[in-house]
Amino acid sequence: MARSTLATLCFLVMLATCVNGIRPQPALKIAPMEEEPQSGCSPSQVHIALGRDATEMHVSWKTASANCPSELMFRQASSGDDQQLRAGAPGVSNVVGYSFLLSERDMCSEPATSYEFMLYLHRAKMTNLVPNTEYQYHVVGGSTVRRLRSGLEPDPEHSFTFLAFGDMGDAVHTAAKSPGAADTLLRLEQEVDAEQNPASLILHIGDISYANGDPEIWDSFMDGIQPVASRVPYMVAIGNHEYGYRKGSGAMVDPSGAAGPYQPSWGNFGADSR
């Protein structure tokens, strides 16, 4: 994505309402969440993503230590009740997912391979959800009970509101490149909390954090989006800063199979994308 000509678009949040029939959905009424302590098996950077259909939702998070449970519990939400979910309690479902380690050894090339880091990541999938229904969920190891709304089934009479934007960056580390990141995060929260037609989906369409392989910036970015990404699906696409093309032959050929870097003639992308 162009770094200068698209400056005015970098942090634009485009509110789009799909209309075949307008049917406003109620906003998720969620009490302010206390930040989880980022140590041991306490989950951080919790975010959700759509599944195959409206009956599924993926939940991902990070822990500071290894050998932590990749487990969550969920149930249909009851009014005003955000107490800790207990395994075996009526209506509570338990899901065990999986975990994996990510480090600089898993990165394709510089600059990401030059940073030493180790991430313990977890994923679990909620299934058998009732479409368009509010749920409570709790990631085992933490203390916060969060809420989300399951997706809509495809129907010409259904409508929903989503947010689409690109080139946001991180509000803490890359303010020079992304001076509107903090304002964009604020607007995202406002739209998700809106009384009328609250946003139920976020599309971040590339140039996500401008981390250029720096895990500290990625951590800051993921911490920043957690308040909204843990409540509505946060879906992403690849921009030129995520493309990460590398030249060479044999083992150095880009694993994507792309014939060259992302350098359209109309952009000022430089010699490569990072």
Side-chain angles (χ1 to χ4, degrees), residues 103-118 211-216 218 246 274:
S103 75
E104 73 278 2
R105 297 179 181 179
D106 300 298
M107 303 295 102
C108 292
S109 60
E110 293 286 347
T113 54
S114 63
Y115 295 96
E116 292 187 6
F117 66 93
M118 196 169 290
N212 288 350
D214 188 335
E216 183 177 351
W218 272 118
R246 63 184 185 187
R274 291 191 297 171

Side-chain angles (χ1 to χ4, degrees), residues 12 51 120 124-125 133 153:
L12 174 65
Y120 302 103
K125 182 170 67 174
T133 300
E153 290 184 308

Side-chain angles (χ1 to χ4, degrees), residues 9 28 32 48 68 89 117 135 139 165 185 197 205 218 224 231 257:
L9 298 177
L28 295 181
I48 64 176
C68 295
F117 66 93
Y135 281 84
V139 178
F165 59 94
L185 286 174
N197 297 318
I205 52 175
W218 272 118
R231 295 156 58 187

Side-chain angles (χ1 to χ4, degrees), residues 118-138:
M118 196 169 290
L119 300 176
Y120 302 103
L121 304 177
H122 305 260
R123 290 177 183 167
K125 182 170 67 174
M126 301 166 65
T127 58
N128 299 317
L129 302 178
V130 178
N132 195 28
T133 300
E134 191 173 351
Y135 281 84
Q136 298 166 307
Y137 73 100
H138 166 238

Side-chain angles (χ1 to χ4, degrees), residues 12 24-25 42 73 104 111 144 184 193 197 202 209 218 266:
L12 174 65
Q25 299 178 35
S42 297
M73 291 176 283
E104 73 278 2
T144 300
T184 301
D193 288 332
N197 297 318
I202 293 173
S209 71
W218 272 118
W266 43 264

